[in-house]
Amino acid sequence: MSAKTILEVRNLKKYFPIQKGVFRRVVGHVKAVDGLDFVIREGECVGLVGESGCGKTTAGRSIIRLLDPTEGEVLFRPGEQEVDMAKLGKDGLKRIRQEMQFIFQDPFASLNPRMTVGRIVSEPLKIQGIGTQKERMSRAGALLEKVGLSASQMGRFPHEFSGGQRQRIGIARSLSLNPRFVICDEPVSALDVSVQAQVLNVLKDLQQDFSLTYLFVAHDLSVVEHISDRIFVMYLGKIVEIADSQELYESPRHPYTEALLKAIPIADPKLGRRREALEGSVPDPSNPPDGCNFHTRCRYATDLCRSEEPVLQGQQGNPEHQASCHYQNELQLAGYMARGAG
Ligand code: SF4
């Protein structure tokens, strides 16, 4: 894997104002994303994982500027140059979309039902003024073949395809401009379990063929297990753990990661499929708890956790594995592998 950093996010925040009354006075903020710092290296796939409402989709959308960040820097380095995505104007964003693309969660809502598949996949080329009509259609056909569909299906409409096929069309569209970096926003969560693995395999193959870097957003650690090189775990607008994928599954350092791992169903020959559901729900992001924001659900919480916020930091002797827990060096947390064996 190349060590070159393709994306560096510094103190990224996205707050949504809460307005009340006739004059729509701002009475507070929903802190959906509250100070993210991380780097993504060229060619890797990073899984961004957390429950619904933890801010992961908002983070992805703020990075690519489908949402305007409240604060922070998003330094994108697709080539020799560096751009701060957070500060780009309309023209700059249009240019940078050639390098950074987004795959939407819902393959039903994200495709224009009145456009043929050929037009949908070639549309980004048209918007950027690239190629002739014939060249654009030729590229669309080649991309459809790449995602496991057929160029002969270009004249059909989205409703003639299954959910999995529609997501393949969405993937083909996201690759039409030959981007370097793709944000995949829960691309398989709306699909049947039987189809999920097929689409994940397509994404994995395309990453190799097109030398892509992925930020892969998911609410479930089981989905990202086989596709991610590293995983960022997010809770209540903040990253609480960063680790190499295998290491995270084997030896998590944050109790929230441990709880997410316990929620993955495992096949047990005696008991069938078993899993431990996460207790409680994500607190209100407009009024996060004091101290460690996970303390209201953490089985290891102490008085220190309720009063002092832990910092995301590397482990002793392993700076790449970071967690924001006061007790990350003392707790012996159960990994997924240990559960499977136990
Ligand atoms: Fe749990 Fe305390 Fe660690 Fe937070 S700091 S995760 S409450 S043990």
Side-chain angles (χ1 to χ4, degrees):
M1 191 199 306
S2 163
K4 179 179 177 277
T5 296
I6 191 166
L7 185 80
E8 182 169 354
V9 169
R10 293 185 188 157
N11 195 31
L12 181 67
K13 294 182 182 175
K14 178 64 186 173
Y15 293 177
F16 296 99
I18 304 167
Q19 296 169 317
K20 275 211 175 126
V22 183
F23 298 108
R24 307 199 61 73
R25 211 160 44 87
V26 175
V27 294
H29 286 91
V30 173
K31 297 176 178 177
V33 173
D34 196 16
L36 301 189
D37 289 283
F38 60 80
V39 298
I40 295 181
R41 300 171 197 124
E42 191 158 38
E44 72 174 342
C45 174
V46 169
L48 182 61
V49 180
E51 293 163 282
S52 298
C54 72
K56 57 195 187 303
T57 290
T58 303
R61 286 174 185 238
S62 301
I63 288 169
I64 201 169
R65 286 285 302 280
L66 290 173
L67 291 169
D68 288 335
T70 305
E71 202 179 312
E73 293 172 297
V74 179
L75 306 174
F76 183 45
R77 300 171 190 135
E80 294 308 309
Q81 287 187 332
E82 172 184 283
V83 286
D84 184 352
M85 297 283 295
K87 294 193 176 58
L88 284 181
K90 212 172 151 200
D91 290 344
L93 275 176
K94 187 179 168 191
R95 267 197 308 278
I96 214 69
R97 289 274 150 78
Q98 295 191 36
E99 308 283 1
M100 187 187 279
Q101 282 287 315
F102 196 86
I103 297 173
F104 291 88
Q105 177 180 359
D106 188 346
F108 295 88
S110 64
L111 305 180
N112 186 333
R114 286 183 289 277
M115 280 189 178
T116 63
V117 166
R119 268 192 68 196
I120 288 171
V121 176
S122 62
E123 187 75 358
L125 292 163
K126 192 175 174 194
I127 290 169
Q128 299 282 349
I130 297 170
T132 63
Q133 168 78 356
K134 200 174 159 204
E135 286 166 342
R136 291 196 286 263
M137 282 300 168
S138 162
R139 170 125 179 104
L143 284 167
L144 286 173
E145 300 276 350
K146 270 276 177 206
V147 298
L149 298 172
S150 163
S152 65
Q153 295 171 306
M154 281 207 298
R156 296 202 192 163
F157 289 89
H159 73 266
E160 297 176 70
F161 293 86
S162 68
Q165 287 173 324
R166 287 190 209 200
Q167 194 53 292
R168 287 170 194 251
I169 295 165
I171 293 168
R173 175 181 57 186
S174 75
L175 298 182
S176 61
L177 293 169
N178 210 6
R180 306 281 292 272
F181 188 94
V182 181
I183 298 176
C184 310
D185 182 21
E186 304 212 36
V188 299
S189 60
L191 306 177
D192 288 346
V193 175
S194 57
V195 182
Q196 288 187 355
Q198 295 167 15
V199 174
L200 284 173
N201 284 336
V202 168
L203 285 166
K204 218 171 168 186
D205 291 346
L206 292 169
Q207 188 188 12
Q208 285 283 323
D209 295 352
F210 290 82
S211 304
L212 296 168
T213 306
Y214 286 148
L215 177 63
F216 194 103
V217 177
H219 63 263
D220 185 336
L221 271 171
S222 64
V223 169
V224 293
E225 182 180 2
H226 298 297
I227 195 163
S228 304
D229 299 298
R230 287 190 302 146
I231 293 178
F232 302 168
V233 178
M234 211 173 153
Y235 186 75
L236 214 55
K238 296 176 192 281
I239 290 179
V240 297
E241 185 158 6
I242 291 179
D244 173 82
S245 180
Q246 192 182 348
E247 197 171 313
L248 187 110
Y249 281 82
E250 283 176 5
S251 31
R253 307 302 308 172
H254 195 284
Y256 180 56
T257 310
E258 182 189 51
L260 286 178
L261 290 169
K262 283 184 174 171
I264 301 176
I266 56 171
D268 185 308
K270 292 191 195 100
L271 303 170
R273 283 165 76 80
R274 63 184 169 89
R275 65 192 289 263
E276 287 177 41
L278 246 101
E279 279 179 26
S281 51
V282 181
D284 180 356
S286 67
N287 186 23
D290 289 337
C292 171
N293 65 12
F294 188 57
H295 85 249
T296 54
R297 301 169 79 190
C298 182
R299 54 199 288 219
Y300 310 105
T302 65
D303 285 345
L304 173 67
C305 307
R306 286 180 267 276
S307 60
E308 204 171 298
E309 187 177 354
V311 184
L312 182 71
Q313 58 189 346
Q315 240 187 308
Q316 286 163 1
N318 187 1
E320 286 274 302
H321 190 164
Q322 300 174 35
S324 62
C325 172
H326 292 305
Y327 302 107
Q328 66 158 309
N329 291 314
E330 287 92 38
L331 290 173
Q332 293 295 320
L333 304 179
Y336 183 65
M337 313 305 171
R339 259 183 85 216

